[in-house]
């Protein structure tokens, strides 16, 4: 196995297509990376599983970084206890939130589209981890799903 991994280091790839992040500090790094290119983010967010260790970062520092980097987010959340309160903070959070009513739209992980080719998937259940997949094809596929749901929620 070690020999195979050593060969991979010498491959033609300049950068990994999938990056894995584990633990609070790594997830903060992942969220910060989503802001590097500025522009528009599209996100499917779960508000049911919110990691306490990241609350300070996500509610304060992340929003300030978003404003500084001129990032605006379109966010889809499932209806629930926290969704109206979350949407009420759109004006100060550089985002527009649309609430998707009920079943079958349940989100168990967060998905953030950013940079035109990157998709972050973050899971706050049991063990916090995330990944970033750098693929224009995958990005466009998930973006198509996002845009479909986004348009269906116009009031």
């Amino acid at each position: 196995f070690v020999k195979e991994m050593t060969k991979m280091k010498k491959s033609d790839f300049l950068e990994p297509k999938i990056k894995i992040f584990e633990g609070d500090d790594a997830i903060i790094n992942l969220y910060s990376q989503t802001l590097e290119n500025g522009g528009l983010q599209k996100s499917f967010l779960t508000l049911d599983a919110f990691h306490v260790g990241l609350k300070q970062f996500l509610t304060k520092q992340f929003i300030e970084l978003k404003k500084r980097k001129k990032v605006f987010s379109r966010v889809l959340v499932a209806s629930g206890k926290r969704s109206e309160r979350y949407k009420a903070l759109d004006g100060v959070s550089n985002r527009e939130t649309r609430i998707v009513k009920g079943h079958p739209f349940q989100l168990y992980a967060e998905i953030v589209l950013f940079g035109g080719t990157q998709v972050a998937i973050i899971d706050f259940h049991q063990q916090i981890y995330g990944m970033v997949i750098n693929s224009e094809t995958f990005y466009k596929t998930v973006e198509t799903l996002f845009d479909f749901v986004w348009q269906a929620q116009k009031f």
Side-chain angles (χ1 to χ4, degrees), residues 3-155:
K3 287 181 184 179
E4 290 175 26
M5 294 303 288
T6 305
K7 287 179 188 176
M8 287 179 71
K9 289 181 184 176
K10 297 175 185 176
S11 72
D12 294 331
F13 295 110
L14 296 176
E15 186 175 324
K17 295 291 183 184
I18 299 174
K19 295 179 185 174
I20 305 295
F21 300 79
E22 293 183 86
D24 291 359
D25 290 339
I27 296 299
I28 288 171
N29 184 10
L30 186 162
Y31 274 112
S32 297
Q33 286 182 28
T34 70
L35 304 175
E36 287 178 2
N37 297 321
L40 177 66
Q41 287 184 348
K42 297 178 179 183
S43 304
F44 295 93
L45 295 188
T46 176
L47 300 176
D48 292 334
F50 193 79
H51 197 265
V52 177
L54 296 173
K55 184 176 182 177
Q56 176 70 23
F57 173 76
L58 291 173
T59 58
K60 303 267 190 276
Q61 294 155 304
F62 183 71
I63 292 170
E64 291 305 315
L65 278 171
K66 274 181 71 179
K67 290 176 182 176
R68 211 172 318 133
K69 301 263 186 175
K70 299 184 185 339
V71 173
F72 186 82
S73 300
R74 289 184 180 160
V75 180
L76 292 169
V77 297
S79 60
K81 298 174 193 172
R82 297 182 181 112
S83 55
E84 291 294 337
R85 190 170 39 199
Y86 183 85
K87 182 177 175 52
L89 296 172
D90 280 2
V92 297
S93 301
N94 259 24
R95 68 177 181 240
E96 178 183 355
T97 301
R98 293 192 181 168
I99 300 170
V100 182
K101 304 286 189 251
H103 186 76
F105 192 80
Q106 292 299 320
L107 300 171
Y108 299 97
E110 294 191 2
I111 301 172
V112 182
L113 293 99
F114 65 101
T117 62
Q118 297 178 78
V119 180
I121 302 169
I122 305 160
D123 186 351
F124 292 114
H125 295 84
Q126 294 177 0
Q127 180 182 356
I128 185 169
Y129 74 94
M131 67 179 80
V132 173
I133 302 168
N134 189 347
S135 164
E136 186 175 354
T137 303
F138 186 62
Y139 179 95
K140 288 182 181 214
T141 300
V142 178
E143 182 181 43
T144 298
L145 295 170
F146 179 93
D147 291 344
F148 177 79
V149 176
W150 184 264
Q151 291 302 319
Q153 297 308 305
K154 273 190 170 178
F155 297 167

